[in-house]
Amino acid sequence: MGVGLIFKIAAVGLLVTILNQVLKHSGREEQAFLVSLAGLILVLTWLVPYIYELFTTIQALFSL
Amino acid sequence: MEIIKLSLFGIMGVLLAIQFKGIKSEFNFYIGIGVALLIFFYAVNSLTALISELGVLQKYLKGGESYLGTLLKIVGITYICEFSSGICKDAGFSSVAGQIEVLGKLAVMFAGLPILLAVLEQIQGFM
């Protein structure tokens, strides 16, 4: 939780970008696509619990 | 001050997100969501203090205790719709954001209906 989350997402983004460049120049477009998909899923597994927590907090707070 | 820290954090997050605009623009969007979530969680404890203060206000409302609850419910609905439609707009899907806002307006109207009926009954009483 905290600022670390942002830096984790940025790190995954950078990693995926570099891997994509490497894979693209060595002719493996499919792997490049799979790497970015994996990056997407990884970031989603971090973000979705927080989004869920946000909505449950609001529900509890505003007695919706 | 809280506000200065929050806004600086927001600006820092946005600057970090812009780095990914050229190469991988979907991470630009994820960092945006992350910053929005963190700012909310940072503000939620001051929000709970505010709402408990509002509870104190409740004892002055002789007749309509439930109206304060409805007011809070409407604020909650508005906040959720605003949050999600803002995120859809960031991603570039303004039509989806418009749909969410229309849904939010309907939900607010639905939540405020009993108050409207109470007012109409009052007016009926005067007639």
Side-chain angles (χ1 to χ4, degrees):
Chain A
M1 190 47 188
V3 195
L5 173 73
I6 302 293
F7 294 136
K8 271 198 291 188
I9 298 175
V12 166
L14 278 175
L15 206 63
V16 164
T17 317
I18 295 163
L19 280 178
N20 267 6
Q21 297 302 333
V22 166
L23 287 172
K24 215 161 274 176
H25 288 309
S26 60
R28 292 184 182 78
E29 263 70 14
E30 311 80 21
Q31 274 94 358
F33 173 72
L34 289 179
V35 164
S36 52
L37 208 61
L40 162 70
I41 290 166
L42 184 63
V43 169
L44 274 185
T45 52
W46 288 334
L47 280 184
V48 166
Y50 285 128
I51 294 179
Y52 177 72
E53 192 184 337
L54 175 123
F55 285 145
T56 41
T57 316
I58 287 193
Q59 235 168 355
L61 211 58
F62 293 106
S63 65
L64 284 177
Chain B
M1 266 280 285
E2 297 295 320
I3 298 300
I4 294 175
K5 251 192 292 185
L6 272 179
S7 42
L8 279 181
F9 172 68
I11 291 169
M12 182 278 296
V14 165
L15 290 182
L16 184 64
I18 282 179
Q19 301 303 323
F20 290 94
K21 208 146 190 55
I23 345 158
K24 263 259 169 283
S25 71
E26 59 263 23
F27 283 97
N28 178 6
F29 177 55
Y30 301 148
I31 293 180
I33 292 185
V35 173
L37 284 172
L38 285 182
I39 288 183
F40 168 76
F41 283 122
Y42 193 78
V44 82
N45 31 38
S46 51
L47 207 59
T48 39
L50 180 72
I51 288 189
S52 55
E53 286 306 316
L54 275 184
V56 171
L57 192 68
Q58 192 138 20
K59 64 179 177 8
Y60 294 111
L61 293 172
K62 285 300 162 289
E65 268 73 17
S66 70
Y67 298 151
L68 205 63
T70 317
L71 182 70
L72 277 182
K73 202 188 286 275
I74 287 178
V75 169
I77 293 173
T78 318
Y79 179 79
I80 288 186
C81 292
E82 198 61 39
F83 181 81
S84 35
S85 77
I87 287 192
C88 294
K89 273 204 189 83
D90 280 358
F93 295 93
S94 47
S95 61
V96 176
Q99 290 307 313
I100 292 179
E101 269 157 24
V102 165
L103 175 75
K105 291 188 177 85
L106 288 179
V108 165
M109 208 172 78
F110 183 72
L113 216 54
I115 298 184
L116 186 63
L117 296 180
V119 167
L120 288 181
E121 270 150 28
Q122 292 278 348
I123 295 172
Q124 203 68 27
F126 295 152
M127 290 297 178

